[in-house]
C-alpha cells in the first residue's frame, strides 16, 4: 500500500474516514470551526458594522481589490439579484457560518469571483457583523402593514368559517338532529 495518497498521510485519511463515520460529525466540524474562528478573531480588530456596510456597498475598497458584494447581492433596500438576497441571512445562519460563507470556501460562483482577490478574515468579520443586524429587514412599509394585512386575512377567514358552519348546521347538522 502507498504510505501517502496525494497530500494526505494514511493516518490523516484514517482520521477523516473516522470523522465521516461519526454520526456527530456535523457537530464536531461546527465546534472545530468555531474554535478556529475564535482563534482567528482574537488576532483581529473588533467587528465593525459600519466598516462592513462600506465594504458591502463598495464605498470602501477590499484590501485585495475584489468587487463589492452589492454587485450581486441585495441586503436591505438595494443590491443585485445574481446572488441570493442576504437581507435575512442572520435568521438562517450564525455569524461563524457567515464568516466562512463570505470567505466562499463552499460556493462555486463566489470562489471563482474572489479566487485571485480573496476577502481577508478581517473583512469577512466586518461583513458578517453588518449582515447580522436586524435593521437590514427590508421595506419598512411592508413590515408595518404586515400586522394589518394579517389581521384582515384573519377576519376574512373567520367569516368564511362561520359562514360554512352556519350553512352546515342549516343543512346536514339540523337534518341529523331531525333524524335523531
Ligand atoms: C459575482 C457575484 C457575487 C459577488 C460579487 C458576491 N457574491 Fe455572494 N454569492 C453569489 C452567488 C451566485 C451565491 C450562491 C452560491 C454560489 O453559487 O456561489 C452567493 C452566496 C453567498 C452567500 C451564501 C448565501 C446563502 O443563502 O447561503 C453569502 C453569505 C454571500 N454570498 C455573501 C457575499 C458577500 C459578503 C460578498 C462580498 C464580499 C459576496 N457574497 C459577493 C454571488 C456573488
Amino acid at each position: 500500500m502507498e504510505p501517502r495518497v496525494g497530500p494526505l498521510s494514511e493516518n490523516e485519511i484514517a482520521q477523516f474516514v473516522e470523522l465521516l463515520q461519526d454520526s456527530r460529525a456535523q457537530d464536531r466540524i461546527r465546534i472545530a470551526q468555531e474554535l478556529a474562528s475564535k482563534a482567528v478573531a482574537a488576532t483581529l480588530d473588533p467587528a465593525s458594522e459600519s466598516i462592513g456596510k462600506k465594504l458591502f456597498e463598495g464605498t470602501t475598497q477590499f484590501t485585495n481589490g475584489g468587487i463589492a458584494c452589492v454587485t450581486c447581492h441585495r441586503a436591505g433596500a438595494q443590491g443585485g439579484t445574481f446572488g441570493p438576497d442576504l437581507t435575512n441571512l442572520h435568521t438562517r445562519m450564525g455569524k461563524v457560518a457567515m464568516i466562512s460563507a463570505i470567505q466562499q470556501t463552499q460556493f462555486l460562483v463566489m470562489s471563482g469571483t474572489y479566487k485571485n482577490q480573496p476577502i481577508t478574515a478581517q473583512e469577512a468579520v466586518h461583513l458578517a457583523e453588518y449582515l447580522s443586524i436586524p435593521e437590514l429587514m427590508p421595506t419598512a412599509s411592508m413590515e408595518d402593514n404586515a400586522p394589518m394585512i394579517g389581521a384582515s386575512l384573519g377576519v376574512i377567514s373567520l367569516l368564511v368559517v362561520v359562514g360554512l358552519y352556519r350553512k352546515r348546521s342549516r343543512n346536514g347538522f339540523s337534518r341529523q338532529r331531525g333524524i335523531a
Side-chain angles (χ1 to χ4, degrees):
M1 249 234 186
E2 281 282 334
R4 292 187 74 87
V5 180
L8 296 177
S9 70
E10 272 194 342
N11 184 29
E12 284 164 335
I13 291 173
Q15 284 179 19
F16 188 56
V17 169
E18 186 259 332
L19 182 66
L20 289 180
Q21 287 168 343
D22 184 346
S23 57
R24 287 164 306 134
Q26 287 298 325
D27 277 347
R28 287 172 60 186
I29 291 169
R30 186 181 50 75
I31 290 164
Q33 269 183 343
E34 269 169 28
L35 288 175
S37 70
K38 277 198 185 120
V40 172
T43 68
L44 300 176
D45 293 340
S48 156
E49 183 192 303
S50 66
I51 298 178
K53 180 172 167 40
K54 288 182 196 143
L55 289 169
F56 191 91
E57 293 171 353
T59 43
T60 299
Q61 294 282 303
F62 287 112
T63 311
N64 296 319
I67 61 171
C69 320
V70 77
T71 320
C72 299
H73 292 284
R74 172 185 282 266
Q78 55 158 352
T81 51
F82 183 63
D85 188 333
L86 301 180
T87 306
N88 293 320
L89 187 70
H90 62 95
T91 62
R92 295 187 276 121
M93 207 182 257
K95 215 173 270 180
V96 172
M98 258 189 222
I99 293 170
S100 113
I102 292 167
Q103 294 193 291
Q104 2 80 39
T105 38
Q106 69 270 57
F107 297 120
L108 271 182
V109 172
M110 281 180 54
S111 54
T113 309
Y114 293 107
K115 199 168 128 211
N116 299 319
Q117 295 167 309
I119 305 295
T120 65
Q122 179 72 73
E123 287 162 343
V125 164
H126 290 319
L127 286 164
E129 189 70 12
Y130 172 57
L131 293 174
S132 298
I133 55 172
E135 297 87 90
L136 268 182
M137 291 289 188
T139 46
S141 54
M142 269 287 283
E143 289 279 306
D144 293 343
N145 288 336
M148 280 292 293
I149 297 170
S152 22
L153 280 180
V155 170
I156 292 169
S157 39
L158 196 69
L159 288 176
V160 170
V161 170
V162 168
L164 284 177
Y165 180 74
R166 281 208 178 141
K167 217 173 163 184
R168 252 190 63 156
S169 36
R170 232 182 294 128
N171 304 332
F173 190 52
S174 48
R175 217 184 301 137
Q176 261 177 29
R177 277 213 299 196
I179 290 166

